[in-house]
PDB file of all heavy atoms in Angstrom:
ATOM      1  N   GLY A   1     167.419 155.931 -53.196  1.00  0.00           N
ATOM      2  CA  GLY A   1     166.258 155.448 -53.938  1.00  0.00           C
ATOM      3  C   GLY A   1     166.653 154.815 -55.262  1.00  0.00           C
ATOM      4  O   GLY A   1     166.084 153.802 -55.688  1.00  0.00           O
ATOM      5  N   ILE A   2     167.629 155.403 -55.933  1.00  0.00           N
ATOM      6  CA  ILE A   2     168.116 154.831 -57.189  1.00  0.00           C
ATOM      7  C   ILE A   2     168.757 153.473 -56.936  1.00  0.00           C
ATOM      8  O   ILE A   2     168.485 152.493 -57.645  1.00  0.00           O
ATOM      9  CB  ILE A   2     169.136 155.781 -57.845  1.00  0.00           C
ATOM     10  CG1 ILE A   2     168.434 157.039 -58.368  1.00  0.00           C
ATOM     11  CG2 ILE A   2     169.887 155.078 -58.976  1.00  0.00           C
ATOM     12  CD1 ILE A   2     169.381 158.118 -58.835  1.00  0.00           C
ATOM     13  N   GLU A   3     169.596 153.392 -55.918  1.00  0.00           N
ATOM     14  CA  GLU A   3     170.287 152.138 -55.631  1.00  0.00           C
ATOM     15  C   GLU A   3     169.296 151.026 -55.312  1.00  0.00           C
ATOM     16  O   GLU A   3     169.429 149.894 -55.804  1.00  0.00           O
ATOM     17  CB  GLU A   3     171.258 152.350 -54.469  1.00  0.00           C
ATOM     18  CG  GLU A   3     172.261 151.240 -54.296  1.00  0.00           C
ATOM     19  CD  GLU A   3     173.377 151.627 -53.344  1.00  0.00           C
ATOM     20  OE1 GLU A   3     173.948 152.721 -53.493  1.00  0.00           O
ATOM     21  OE2 GLU A   3     173.682 150.810 -52.452  1.00  0.00           O
ATOM     22  N   ALA A   4     168.282 151.343 -54.500  1.00  0.00           N
ATOM     23  CA  ALA A   4     167.266 150.345 -54.181  1.00  0.00           C
ATOM     24  C   ALA A   4     166.495 149.931 -55.432  1.00  0.00           C
ATOM     25  O   ALA A   4     166.206 148.739 -55.638  1.00  0.00           O
ATOM     26  CB  ALA A   4     166.310 150.903 -53.130  1.00  0.00           C
ATOM     27  N   SER A   5     166.175 150.888 -56.275  1.00  0.00           N
ATOM     28  CA  SER A   5     165.403 150.601 -57.498  1.00  0.00           C
ATOM     29  C   SER A   5     166.200 149.757 -58.485  1.00  0.00           C
ATOM     30  O   SER A   5     165.650 148.879 -59.158  1.00  0.00           O
ATOM     31  CB  SER A   5     164.962 151.911 -58.157  1.00  0.00           C
ATOM     32  OG  SER A   5     164.139 152.658 -57.276  1.00  0.00           O
ATOM     33  N   LEU A   6     167.493 150.016 -58.594  1.00  0.00           N
ATOM     34  CA  LEU A   6     168.316 149.225 -59.498  1.00  0.00           C
ATOM     35  C   LEU A   6     168.410 147.775 -59.044  1.00  0.00           C
ATOM     36  O   LEU A   6     168.449 146.849 -59.868  1.00  0.00           O
ATOM     37  CB  LEU A   6     169.715 149.832 -59.604  1.00  0.00           C
ATOM     38  CG  LEU A   6     169.807 151.160 -60.355  1.00  0.00           C
ATOM     39  CD1 LEU A   6     171.210 151.740 -60.254  1.00  0.00           C
ATOM     40  CD2 LEU A   6     169.408 150.996 -61.813  1.00  0.00           C
ATOM     41  N   GLU A   7     168.412 147.555 -57.747  1.00  0.00           N
ATOM     42  CA  GLU A   7     168.390 146.178 -57.243  1.00  0.00           C
ATOM     43  C   GLU A   7     167.061 145.511 -57.580  1.00  0.00           C
ATOM     44  O   GLU A   7     167.025 144.343 -57.997  1.00  0.00           O
ATOM     45  CB  GLU A   7     168.623 146.176 -55.731  1.00  0.00           C
ATOM     46  CG  GLU A   7     170.028 146.609 -55.323  1.00  0.00           C
ATOM     47  CD  GLU A   7     170.217 146.614 -53.824  1.00  0.00           C
ATOM     48  OE1 GLU A   7     169.361 146.048 -53.105  1.00  0.00           O
ATOM     49  OE2 GLU A   7     171.219 147.184 -53.351  1.00  0.00           O
ATOM     50  N   LEU A   8     165.962 146.254 -57.444  1.00  0.00           N
ATOM     51  CA  LEU A   8     164.645 145.704 -57.753  1.00  0.00           C
ATOM     52  C   LEU A   8     164.464 145.463 -59.243  1.00  0.00           C
ATOM     53  O   LEU A   8     163.740 144.546 -59.652  1.00  0.00           O
ATOM     54  CB  LEU A   8     163.559 146.653 -57.239  1.00  0.00           C
ATOM     55  CG  LEU A   8     163.437 146.743 -55.713  1.00  0.00           C
ATOM     56  CD1 LEU A   8     162.518 147.898 -55.319  1.00  0.00           C
ATOM     57  CD2 LEU A   8     162.908 145.435 -55.143  1.00  0.00           C
ATOM     58  N   ALA A   9     165.115 146.268 -60.064  1.00  0.00           N
ATOM     59  CA  ALA A   9     164.993 146.110 -61.519  1.00  0.00           C
ATOM     60  C   ALA A   9     165.501 144.754 -61.992  1.00  0.00           C
ATOM     61  O   ALA A   9     165.113 144.279 -63.071  1.00  0.00           O
ATOM     62  CB  ALA A   9     165.751 147.233 -62.228  1.00  0.00           C
ATOM     63  N   LYS A  10     166.350 144.123 -61.193  1.00  0.00           N
ATOM     64  CA  LYS A  10     166.853 142.798 -61.545  1.00  0.00           C
ATOM     65  C   LYS A  10     165.807 141.708 -61.295  1.00  0.00           C
ATOM     66  O   LYS A  10     165.945 140.590 -61.790  1.00  0.00           O
ATOM     67  CB  LYS A  10     168.112 142.492 -60.731  1.00  0.00           C
ATOM     68  CG  LYS A  10     169.251 143.476 -60.948  1.00  0.00           C
ATOM     69  CD  LYS A  10     170.388 143.206 -59.970  1.00  0.00           C
ATOM     70  CE  LYS A  10     171.492 144.248 -60.106  1.00  0.00           C
ATOM     71  NZ  LYS A  10     172.577 144.040 -59.104  1.00  0.00           N
ATOM     72  N   GLU A  11     164.762 142.038 -60.527  1.00  0.00           N
ATOM     73  CA  GLU A  11     163.782 141.037 -60.124  1.00  0.00           C
ATOM     74  C   GLU A  11     162.398 141.235 -60.745  1.00  0.00           C
ATOM     75  O   GLU A  11     161.606 140.289 -60.826  1.00  0.00           O
ATOM     76  CB  GLU A  11     163.624 141.049 -58.593  1.00  0.00           C
ATOM     77  CG  GLU A  11     164.905 140.796 -57.826  1.00  0.00           C
ATOM     78  CD  GLU A  11     164.675 140.838 -56.331  1.00  0.00           C
ATOM     79  OE1 GLU A  11     163.582 140.440 -55.887  1.00  0.00           O
ATOM     80  OE2 GLU A  11     165.574 141.289 -55.604  1.00  0.00           O
ATOM     81  N   VAL A  12     162.096 142.456 -61.168  1.00  0.00           N
ATOM     82  CA  VAL A  12     160.737 142.783 -61.601  1.00  0.00           C
ATOM     83  C   VAL A  12     160.757 143.384 -63.001  1.00  0.00           C
ATOM     84  O   VAL A  12     161.546 144.296 -63.280  1.00  0.00           O
ATOM     85  CB  VAL A  12     160.076 143.788 -60.626  1.00  0.00           C
ATOM     86  CG1 VAL A  12     158.634 144.063 -61.052  1.00  0.00           C
ATOM     87  CG2 VAL A  12     160.126 143.266 -59.202  1.00  0.00           C
ATOM     88  N   ARG A  13     159.889 142.896 -63.875  1.00  0.00           N
ATOM     89  CA  ARG A  13     159.739 143.494 -65.202  1.00  0.00           C
ATOM     90  C   ARG A  13     158.815 144.699 -65.106  1.00  0.00           C
ATOM     91  O   ARG A  13     157.805 144.663 -64.393  1.00  0.00           O
ATOM     92  CB  ARG A  13     159.166 142.471 -66.179  1.00  0.00           C
ATOM     93  CG  ARG A  13     160.113 141.319 -66.483  1.00  0.00           C
ATOM     94  CD  ARG A  13     159.473 140.249 -67.338  1.00  0.00           C
ATOM     95  NE  ARG A  13     158.920 140.790 -68.580  1.00  0.00           N
ATOM     96  CZ  ARG A  13     157.627 140.768 -68.884  1.00  0.00           C
ATOM     97  NH1 ARG A  13     156.742 140.269 -68.039  1.00  0.00           N
ATOM     98  NH2 ARG A  13     157.223 141.257 -70.056  1.00  0.00           N
ATOM     99  N   VAL A  14     159.147 145.758 -65.836  1.00  0.00           N
ATOM    100  CA  VAL A  14     158.364 146.990 -65.766  1.00  0.00           C
ATOM    101  C   VAL A  14     156.907 146.738 -66.123  1.00  0.00           C
ATOM    102  O   VAL A  14     155.986 147.306 -65.501  1.00  0.00           O
ATOM    103  CB  VAL A  14     158.976 148.071 -66.694  1.00  0.00           C
ATOM    104  CG1 VAL A  14     158.058 149.285 -66.782  1.00  0.00           C
ATOM    105  CG2 VAL A  14     160.341 148.485 -66.200  1.00  0.00           C
ATOM    106  N   ALA A  15     156.654 145.877 -67.096  1.00  0.00           N
ATOM    107  CA  ALA A  15     155.279 145.601 -67.522  1.00  0.00           C
ATOM    108  C   ALA A  15     154.438 145.002 -66.411  1.00  0.00           C
ATOM    109  O   ALA A  15     153.197 145.068 -66.455  1.00  0.00           O
ATOM    110  CB  ALA A  15     155.290 144.662 -68.730  1.00  0.00           C
ATOM    111  N   GLU A  16     155.080 144.425 -65.389  1.00  0.00           N
ATOM    112  CA  GLU A  16     154.348 143.784 -64.298  1.00  0.00           C
ATOM    113  C   GLU A  16     154.038 144.740 -63.152  1.00  0.00           C
ATOM    114  O   GLU A  16     153.281 144.402 -62.237  1.00  0.00           O
ATOM    115  CB  GLU A  16     155.166 142.609 -63.762  1.00  0.00           C
ATOM    116  CG  GLU A  16     155.431 141.514 -64.794  1.00  0.00           C
ATOM    117  CD  GLU A  16     156.402 140.468 -64.270  1.00  0.00           C
ATOM    118  OE1 GLU A  16     157.030 140.713 -63.208  1.00  0.00           O
ATOM    119  OE2 GLU A  16     156.541 139.426 -64.913  1.00  0.00           O
ATOM    120  N   ILE A  17     154.606 145.956 -63.177  1.00  0.00           N
ATOM    121  CA  ILE A  17     154.478 146.858 -62.034  1.00  0.00           C
ATOM    122  C   ILE A  17     153.083 147.475 -61.966  1.00  0.00           C
ATOM    123  O   ILE A  17     152.609 148.096 -62.910  1.00  0.00           O
ATOM    124  CB  ILE A  17     155.541 147.979 -62.112  1.00  0.00           C
ATOM    125  CG1 ILE A  17     156.944 147.388 -61.984  1.00  0.00           C
ATOM    126  CG2 ILE A  17     155.297 149.025 -61.016  1.00  0.00           C
ATOM    127  CD1 ILE A  17     158.066 148.400 -62.145  1.00  0.00           C
ATOM    128  N   GLU A  18     152.439 147.290 -60.841  1.00  0.00           N
ATOM    129  CA  GLU A  18     151.134 147.907 -60.573  1.00  0.00           C
ATOM    130  C   GLU A  18     151.326 149.256 -59.880  1.00  0.00           C
ATOM    131  O   GLU A  18     150.696 150.249 -60.233  1.00  0.00           O
ATOM    132  CB  GLU A  18     150.283 146.989 -59.697  1.00  0.00           C
ATOM    133  CG  GLU A  18     148.901 147.546 -59.335  1.00  0.00           C
ATOM    134  CD  GLU A  18     147.977 147.629 -60.532  1.00  0.00           C
ATOM    135  OE1 GLU A  18     148.120 146.798 -61.452  1.00  0.00           O
ATOM    136  OE2 GLU A  18     147.107 148.527 -60.558  1.00  0.00           O
ATOM    137  N   GLU A  19     152.194 149.282 -58.865  1.00  0.00           N
ATOM    138  CA  GLU A  19     152.474 150.528 -58.161  1.00  0.00           C
ATOM    139  C   GLU A  19     153.839 150.460 -57.490  1.00  0.00           C
ATOM    140  O   GLU A  19     154.354 149.370 -57.192  1.00  0.00           O
ATOM    141  CB  GLU A  19     151.391 150.844 -57.130  1.00  0.00           C
ATOM    142  CG  GLU A  19     151.277 149.861 -56.000  1.00  0.00           C
ATOM    143  CD  GLU A  19     150.181 150.247 -55.012  1.00  0.00           C
ATOM    144  OE1 GLU A  19     149.227 150.932 -55.421  1.00  0.00           O
ATOM    145  OE2 GLU A  19     150.303 149.874 -53.828  1.00  0.00           O
ATOM    146  N   VAL A  20     154.405 151.638 -57.282  1.00  0.00           N
ATOM    147  CA  VAL A  20     155.684 151.768 -56.594  1.00  0.00           C
ATOM    148  C   VAL A  20     155.474 152.692 -55.405  1.00  0.00           C
ATOM    149  O   VAL A  20     155.030 153.845 -55.580  1.00  0.00           O
ATOM    150  CB  VAL A  20     156.775 152.349 -57.517  1.00  0.00           C
ATOM    151  CG1 VAL A  20     158.107 152.456 -56.762  1.00  0.00           C
ATOM    152  CG2 VAL A  20     156.937 151.501 -58.771  1.00  0.00           C
ATOM    153  N   ASN A  21     155.784 152.212 -54.218  1.00  0.00           N
ATOM    154  CA  ASN A  21     155.626 153.001 -52.997  1.00  0.00           C
ATOM    155  C   ASN A  21     157.001 153.293 -52.403  1.00  0.00           C
ATOM    156  O   ASN A  21     157.790 152.377 -52.157  1.00  0.00           O
ATOM    157  CB  ASN A  21     154.774 152.246 -51.969  1.00  0.00           C
ATOM    158  CG  ASN A  21     153.358 152.016 -52.466  1.00  0.00           C
ATOM    159  OD1 ASN A  21     152.670 152.960 -52.839  1.00  0.00           O
ATOM    160  ND2 ASN A  21     152.930 150.766 -52.497  1.00  0.00           N
ATOM    161  N   ILE A  22     157.263 154.573 -52.209  1.00  0.00           N
ATOM    162  CA  ILE A  22     158.550 154.999 -51.667  1.00  0.00           C
ATOM    163  C   ILE A  22     158.328 155.641 -50.312  1.00  0.00           C
ATOM    164  O   ILE A  22     157.475 156.514 -50.158  1.00  0.00           O
ATOM    165  CB  ILE A  22     159.243 156.014 -52.606  1.00  0.00           C
ATOM    166  CG1 ILE A  22     159.441 155.408 -53.997  1.00  0.00           C
ATOM    167  CG2 ILE A  22     160.571 156.465 -52.018  1.00  0.00           C
ATOM    168  CD1 ILE A  22     159.957 156.399 -55.027  1.00  0.00           C
ATOM    169  N   GLU A  23     159.105 155.206 -49.328  1.00  0.00           N
ATOM    170  CA  GLU A  23     159.105 155.851 -48.013  1.00  0.00           C
ATOM    171  C   GLU A  23     160.494 156.423 -47.768  1.00  0.00           C
ATOM    172  O   GLU A  23     161.505 155.744 -47.968  1.00  0.00           O
ATOM    173  CB  GLU A  23     158.763 154.848 -46.914  1.00  0.00           C
ATOM    174  CG  GLU A  23     157.311 154.401 -46.921  1.00  0.00           C
ATOM    175  CD  GLU A  23     156.961 153.574 -45.700  1.00  0.00           C
ATOM    176  OE1 GLU A  23     157.784 153.518 -44.743  1.00  0.00           O
ATOM    177  OE2 GLU A  23     155.876 152.989 -45.687  1.00  0.00           O
ATOM    178  N   THR A  24     160.539 157.667 -47.323  1.00  0.00           N
ATOM    179  CA  THR A  24     161.831 158.291 -47.102  1.00  0.00           C
ATOM    180  C   THR A  24     161.690 159.426 -46.089  1.00  0.00           C
ATOM    181  O   THR A  24     160.616 159.618 -45.494  1.00  0.00           O
ATOM    182  CB  THR A  24     162.430 158.772 -48.442  1.00  0.00           C
ATOM    183  OG1 THR A  24     163.776 159.175 -48.238  1.00  0.00           O
ATOM    184  CG2 THR A  24     161.626 159.900 -49.053  1.00  0.00           C
TER     185      THR A  24
END
């Protein structure tokens, strides 16, 4: 989950996040 999130952090600004959905 951390690895996936770090990849996404390069594309999305935190201020723009509406929701985060995790499936595991």
